Amino acid sequence: MTDSLSTVVFTIANAATLLCTVTLAFLTHRKASNADYLREWVTFCLVGAGYCASLIAAANVVEELHGLLAVRAAMSFGSAAVFVFFRFTVKFAGGIKGERVITLVALLWLAVLQPLFWGTRFVLAGVAPADYSAYAPVRGTGSPLYLGYVAQGGLLSLYLSIRTYRKSRGRRRVQAAYLLLAYGVFVVSTTGALLAPVVGSARLIAALPNLLLPLFPLVITVAIIRHRLWDIQTVMHRTAFWAVLSVLLVVPVALVLWPAAPYLREASLGELV
């Protein structure tokens, strides 16, 4: 029952994040033509949705091969999300010295990782059952290459977020503050996907940071609603509000009903017999 509940909690957290990121991509799309950083944000939301969908699949599939494919997809989407988020912070900050060189290095690093994910066991040695997921990644000898990529992308994005906050004023400073807060949540939460294979633990506690992942798009949503982040229209603010409210209503109900589903199925089968 504990393993089942852990999987349910992990799945719901990622499902809520997926719903929020897709909603935010839709809300931002109509304004994306006005600024480069909005287009990067839409891309990031969609890639992030792919990452969450892959984690959901890995947590619930039965066959090991399917679990391995889902984990590989999650790592591909995750590494791509790091790159796109870096590009977003660069555009939002108004550029960075040596932008082309840094972007090219990061893009090449990302390109090198993809065949290592899918064609070798150098970075991802395989998958193994975990109490929060049917299959979780097992680190390979080359996993530091992936962790180093995530670290460099994260640190550069953090630097740009802090620089934007310090140099901006008025509404833009408030927007930058929300982005900085959202970035902090994102960094802490995404360590959940990395912590389990790094520490060699398959217990839910190793993935607890990942359960904070829904807070990342929620912080951005609050910024959209309260501070008109990126000047999105009021009608879109209301759409975001109802999307977030739906998540907040659905998640508690799912937490109650989902663990009971196996018992309900058994009762139904018993009546049929």
Side-chain angles (χ1 to χ4, degrees), residues 168-175:
S168 57
R169 294 291 183 271
R171 178 184 293 180
R172 185 172 177 81
R173 186 178 179 88
V174 175
Q175 294 172 350

Short mmCIF file of all heavy atoms in Angstrom, two decimals, residues 168-175:
data_model
loop_
_atom_site.label_atom_id
_atom_site.label_comp_id
_atom_site.label_asym_id
_atom_site.label_seq_id
_atom_site.Cartn_x
_atom_site.Cartn_y
_atom_site.Cartn_z
N SER A 168 16.99 45.70 -12.74
CA SER A 168 15.67 46.17 -13.17
C SER A 168 14.98 46.97 -12.08
O SER A 168 15.37 46.94 -10.92
CB SER A 168 14.80 44.97 -13.57
OG SER A 168 14.69 44.05 -12.51
N ARG A 169 13.92 47.68 -12.48
CA ARG A 169 13.15 48.51 -11.55
C ARG A 169 11.66 48.36 -11.87
O ARG A 169 11.29 47.92 -12.94
CB ARG A 169 13.55 50.00 -11.69
CG ARG A 169 14.97 50.31 -11.27
CD ARG A 169 15.16 50.15 -9.77
NE ARG A 169 16.50 50.53 -9.34
CZ ARG A 169 17.52 49.68 -9.30
NH1 ARG A 169 17.34 48.41 -9.70
NH2 ARG A 169 18.71 50.09 -8.89
N GLY A 170 10.82 48.74 -10.91
CA GLY A 170 9.38 48.76 -11.12
C GLY A 170 8.81 47.37 -11.37
O GLY A 170 9.20 46.39 -10.74
N ARG A 171 7.86 47.32 -12.33
CA ARG A 171 7.17 46.06 -12.61
C ARG A 171 8.14 44.98 -13.08
O ARG A 171 8.01 43.81 -12.70
CB ARG A 171 6.10 46.27 -13.68
CG ARG A 171 5.39 44.97 -14.06
CD ARG A 171 4.39 45.16 -15.18
NE ARG A 171 3.27 45.98 -14.76
CZ ARG A 171 2.26 46.30 -15.56
NH1 ARG A 171 2.25 45.87 -16.80
NH2 ARG A 171 1.26 47.04 -15.11
N ARG A 172 9.13 45.37 -13.88
CA ARG A 172 10.08 44.37 -14.37
C ARG A 172 10.86 43.75 -13.21
O ARG A 172 11.19 42.57 -13.24
CB ARG A 172 11.04 45.01 -15.37
CG ARG A 172 11.99 43.99 -16.01
CD ARG A 172 12.79 44.63 -17.14
NE ARG A 172 13.75 43.70 -17.71
CZ ARG A 172 13.47 42.77 -18.60
NH1 ARG A 172 12.23 42.63 -19.03
NH2 ARG A 172 14.40 41.97 -19.09
N ARG A 173 11.14 44.53 -12.18
CA ARG A 173 11.85 43.99 -11.02
C ARG A 173 10.97 42.97 -10.29
O ARG A 173 11.46 41.94 -9.83
CB ARG A 173 12.24 45.13 -10.07
CG ARG A 173 13.11 44.69 -8.89
CD ARG A 173 13.49 45.89 -8.03
NE ARG A 173 14.30 45.51 -6.89
CZ ARG A 173 15.63 45.42 -6.90
NH1 ARG A 173 16.29 45.70 -8.01
NH2 ARG A 173 16.29 45.07 -5.81
N VAL A 174 9.67 43.28 -10.19
CA VAL A 174 8.75 42.34 -9.57
C VAL A 174 8.67 41.05 -10.40
O VAL A 174 8.69 39.93 -9.86
CB VAL A 174 7.34 42.96 -9.42
CG1 VAL A 174 6.35 41.93 -8.89
CG2 VAL A 174 7.39 44.17 -8.50
N GLN A 175 8.59 41.22 -11.72
CA GLN A 175 8.57 40.05 -12.59
C GLN A 175 9.84 39.21 -12.42
O GLN A 175 9.78 37.98 -12.33
CB GLN A 175 8.44 40.51 -14.05
CG GLN A 175 7.12 41.19 -14.37
CD GLN A 175 7.10 41.80 -15.75
OE1 GLN A 175 8.14 41.89 -16.42
NE2 GLN A 175 5.94 42.25 -16.19
#
